[in-house]
Amino acid sequence: MDLIKKTEDVRQKAYDLGFDACGFARARRLEQEERRLEEWLNQGRHGNMLWMENHFDKRVDPTKLVPGAKSVVSVLASYNHPDHQEHTRLEEVPKISKYAQSRDYHKVFKKKLYKLFKYTREIVGKVQGRVFVDSAPVLDKAWAVQAGIGWIGKNSMLLNKRLGSYFFIGEMIVDTEFRYNEVTTDHCGSCTRCIEACPTNAIYEPYRVDATKCISYFTIELKEEMPDEYKKQVGEWMFGCDICQEVCPWNRDAPYGSIEDLHPREELQNHDMEYWEELDLKEYNRITEGTPVRRAKYEKFRDNVDAVIENLKSEGD
Ligand code: SF4
Ligand code: SF4
């Protein structure tokens, strides 16, 4: 089959499935990323996320992950929504990171990626491959850069000129070739808004985030009880943190996402402090069912909520 037609057909199918961007890169070892990741891990910037050390070789080389792999097809789907804008504007209310306010994106994405894989098989014939959503050792942001659909910003998030950074990333790694995109160039320029806005100085130098200083780490990954100094730093964030994305100019006019399953749930944007103060296990189970917030068990989430309420009350004094 003609390489250009095959590429365009798969791209079109990705759009038909609701993805907002789709790019193609040649599967190979990412040597520059390998060095960066090694250094970051050696410095212990990943804290207790020891799983990040696993499968290092596969992580930097998709041909080790999927034997015979020739291409990495990267896709993005926006979760930007008008209700988020409203939520962002409100100060001094308990907040959950935007990405976690909807149905678990892993499920939504996987289903769509399988459909894209099935379609690729239909038009190409015998194709072997796998699909990934945050679930295996794939350097998803680096691959999206290689596939020409974004650059990694100074806040270490993937940014796309049209979409901003409120999107999820997925990949399909397959043993068939496509017409490959040009690597995306950096469009952060002289901007340093994210670095200045980060309340914990987790962005220790442009393009480098120390996960162990990030609010997302404190409120999601940290297994032990939050030390007091972290509790103060989380501010109003009960789960995750969006500050370095909220200040990013590329998110200002980003379009809204069209996949309904990725729209926020009203309950997770509740602004009533008393409601969160009284949240018990039953209610937690009800409002977080099928969402990424479940990653934090009730006890952890409760601990986060208590820290936020304490912070908001002391701000109001
Ligand atoms: S998510 Fe929040 S704490 Fe983490 S780097 Fe961004 S602004 Fe800083
Ligand atoms: S806030 Fe500025 S420096 Fe940070 S990611 Fe956005 S454009 Fe880049």
Side-chain angles (χ1 to χ4, degrees), residues 161-200:
K161 266 186 160 180
R162 190 173 62 84
L163 302 170
S165 65
Y166 295 131
F167 50 69
F168 298 114
I169 316 170
E171 304 82 31
M172 172 170 85
I173 301 181
V174 281
D175 64 354
T176 184
E177 294 195 318
F178 291 98
R179 187 168 192 224
Y180 301 119
N181 294 84
E182 296 278 320
V183 174
T184 327
T185 48
D186 187 325
H187 296 279
C188 279
S190 57
C191 175
T192 50
R193 278 169 177 247
C194 53
I195 301 173
E196 282 147 25
C198 174
T200 61

Side-chain angles (χ1 to χ4, degrees), residues 198-200 202-203 209 214-216 241 243-244:
C198 174
T200 61
I203 310 175
V209 172
C214 178
I215 293 171
S216 294
C241 165
I243 295 172
C244 57

Side-chain angles (χ1 to χ4, degrees), residues 27-280:
R28 62 190 166 78
R29 196 175 186 96
L30 290 176
E31 285 168 7
Q32 204 182 338
E33 287 304 322
E34 179 178 357
R35 284 194 294 277
R36 279 172 68 89
L37 179 62
E38 201 168 20
E39 189 191 313
W40 190 79
L41 290 171
N42 286 341
Q43 290 172 346
R45 307 276 186 189
H46 57 312
N48 70 7
M49 297 185 286
L50 298 178
W51 49 269
M52 293 187 95
E53 295 171 15
N54 300 339
H55 311 293
F56 184 82
D57 233 29
K58 288 182 184 166
R59 197 177 273 271
V60 295
D61 187 353
T63 65
K64 297 248 163 55
L65 193 62
V66 179
K70 291 204 171 96
S71 305
V72 180
V73 183
S74 284
V75 289
L76 309 178
S78 170
Y79 57 85
N80 196 24
H81 190 274
D83 290 353
H84 284 319
Q85 309 292 342
E86 195 53 39
H87 190 54
T88 302
R89 269 194 285 276
L90 295 170
E91 284 176 14
E92 296 178 24
V93 296
K95 284 179 179 163
I96 291 172
S97 183
K98 297 174 182 47
Y99 85 89
Q101 293 175 11
S102 59
R103 193 169 129 76
D104 195 332
Y105 60 96
H106 295 93
K107 295 173 192 155
V108 181
F109 240 70
K110 267 252 163 99
K111 247 192 206 167
K112 290 185 181 292
L113 273 167
Y114 278 128
K115 284 186 182 162
L116 190 64
F117 182 51
K118 197 167 158 256
Y119 174 78
T120 309
R121 272 196 163 153
E122 274 164 25
I123 61 163
V124 179
K126 210 171 154 248
V127 175
Q128 299 296 326
R130 286 173 68 184
V131 301
F132 301 97
V133 186
D134 220 16
S135 56
V138 179
L139 294 172
D140 49 5
K141 289 185 276 186
W143 281 112
V145 175
Q146 296 297 318
I149 54 172
W151 75 96
I152 297 175
K154 291 180 190 169
N155 57 4
S156 99
M157 303 300 293
L158 185 76
L159 287 156
N160 174 287
K161 266 186 160 180
R162 190 173 62 84
L163 302 170
S165 65
Y166 295 131
F167 50 69
F168 298 114
I169 316 170
E171 304 82 31
M172 172 170 85
I173 301 181
V174 281
D175 64 354
T176 184
E177 294 195 318
F178 291 98
R179 187 168 192 224
Y180 301 119
N181 294 84
E182 296 278 320
V183 174
T184 327
T185 48
D186 187 325
H187 296 279
C188 279
S190 57
C191 175
T192 50
R193 278 169 177 247
C194 53
I195 301 173
E196 282 147 25
C198 174
T200 61
N201 294 321
I203 310 175
Y204 59 99
E205 59 182 66
Y207 309 101
R208 304 287 239 170
V209 172
D210 185 336
T212 66
K213 289 188 179 160
C214 178
I215 293 171
S216 294
Y217 179 82
F218 303 162
T219 56
I220 305 170
E221 303 295 344
L222 192 72
K223 298 289 171 273
E224 60 269 27
E225 207 197 316
M226 253 201 286
D228 285 346
E229 75 258 32
Y230 289 4
K231 286 186 180 173
K232 286 200 184 70
Q233 289 180 328
V234 301
E236 59 196 23
W237 294 95
M238 303 184 286
F239 185 93
C241 165
D242 288 332
I243 295 172
C244 57
Q245 297 190 82
E246 285 174 353
V247 298
C248 180
W250 291 101
N251 279 326
R252 211 177 287 144
D253 300 314
Y256 298 127
S258 60
I259 300 176
E260 219 167 289
D261 273 337
L262 300 180
H263 292 175
R265 289 188 185 176
E266 215 180 310
E267 300 98 314
L268 297 179
Q269 293 194 327
N270 195 322
H271 306 137
D272 182 351
M273 204 149 40
E274 235 168 76
Y275 168 84
W276 293 110
E277 213 162 2
E278 285 166 15
L279 184 86
D280 60 14

